[in-house]
């Protein structure tokens, strides 16, 4: 007799679980349809791909300080077709890696995550860099480039563009 009393409760619970599963399935389906519509604009079909200087260069070790010459060499390496894919000479740009960018060490300031300090500038605690206390921009909002490392930033960017790269900082 206890089986008879328990049985309607089990059926009830099974129906609730089935309804929950159906509801979750439908919500999941609607969510995915909304996502597909949201990205159906041609933007963001692939993640940004390219080369960034952060892990390759340092700001404090003389052998690994990033310079204009280093960046030109990296640009050449990205478009170099000495690699083969399926027997065909292929560059990283052929594979969609068209960005090359400098992370830290190009700017003239004491506001560097790696604390690349310039004694001729006011000292800036790394924690203040992003609160407007320190800046690598002049009073007109233009970036101030370390001329000792990057004597002609415009030339470097133009060179990257001539190779078909997108260049950034």
């Amino acid at each position: 007799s206890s089986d008879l009393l328990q049985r309607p409760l089990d059926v009830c619970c099974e129906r609730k679980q089935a309804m929950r599963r159906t509801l979750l399935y439908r919500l999941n389906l609607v969510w995915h349809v909304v996502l597909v519509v949201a990205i159906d604009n041609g933007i963001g079909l692939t993640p940004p791909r390219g080369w960034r200087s952060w892990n390759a260069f340092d700001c404090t070790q003389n052998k690994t300080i990033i310079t204009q010459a280093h960046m030109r060499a990296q640009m050449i390496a990205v478009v170099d077709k000495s690699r083969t894919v399926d027997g065909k000479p292929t560059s990283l740009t052929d594979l969609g890696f068209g960005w090359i960018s400098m992370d830290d060490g190009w700017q003239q300031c004491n506001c560097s995550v790696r604390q690349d300090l310039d004694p001729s500038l006011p000292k800036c605690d790394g924690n203040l860099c992003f609160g407007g206390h320190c800046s690598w921009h002049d009073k007109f909002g233009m970036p101030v480039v370390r001329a000792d490392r990057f004597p002609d930033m415009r030339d470097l960017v133009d060179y990257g563009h001539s190779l078909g790269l997108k260049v950034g900082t």
Side-chain angles (χ1 to χ4, degrees):
S1 75
S2 69
D3 285 342
L4 291 174
L5 292 175
Q6 190 67 26
R7 195 166 190 202
L9 189 58
D10 289 342
V11 171
C12 179
C13 288
E14 287 174 15
R15 284 185 186 156
K16 282 185 181 178
Q17 288 176 348
M19 287 174 55
R20 282 188 187 132
R21 279 193 302 270
T22 302
L23 180 62
L24 288 174
Y25 172 77
R26 288 180 180 167
L27 286 173
N28 194 20
L29 183 62
V30 169
W31 174 251
H32 282 88
V33 169
V34 169
L35 284 178
V36 170
V37 172
I39 64 168
D40 192 17
N41 59 7
I43 297 173
L45 297 176
T46 59
R49 293 178 282 182
W51 182 89
R52 195 149 173 85
S53 67
W54 181 259
N55 292 321
F57 294 99
D58 194 303
C59 296
T60 57
Q61 307 281 325
N62 281 339
K63 289 190 261 182
T64 58
I65 289 176
I66 190 169
T67 65
Q68 186 157 338
H70 287 132
M71 287 304 297
R72 284 180 76 94
Q74 295 307 316
M75 290 174 179
I76 292 167
V78 169
V79 299
D80 176 58
K81 290 187 179 251
S82 64
R83 305 163 195 85
T84 59
V85 174
D86 296 328
K88 180 183 171 193
T90 307
S91 71
L92 289 173
T93 54
D94 294 333
L95 299 173
F97 291 82
W99 277 96
I100 188 158
S101 58
M102 298 163 279
D103 201 307
D104 202 0
W106 62 269
Q107 68 274 36
Q108 180 73 35
C109 68
N110 277 345
C111 190
S112 167
V113 173
R114 293 181 173 166
Q115 289 299 288
D116 179 22
L117 302 178
D118 180 343
S120 70
L121 297 172
K123 188 170 181 180
C124 179
D125 177 358
N127 295 324
L128 299 176
C129 292
F130 304 105
H133 302 283
C134 304
S135 177
W136 50 82
H137 296 83
D138 65 16
K139 64 182 178 182
F140 303 107
M142 298 298 295
V144 182
V145 178
R146 283 197 69 151
D148 60 323
R149 294 182 187 169
F150 295 90
D152 192 343
M153 185 67 85
R154 169 54 43 205
D155 178 63
L156 179 65
V157 171
D158 288 345
Y159 179 69
H161 290 165
S162 76
L163 297 174
L165 297 170
K166 296 175 186 129
V167 182
T169 55

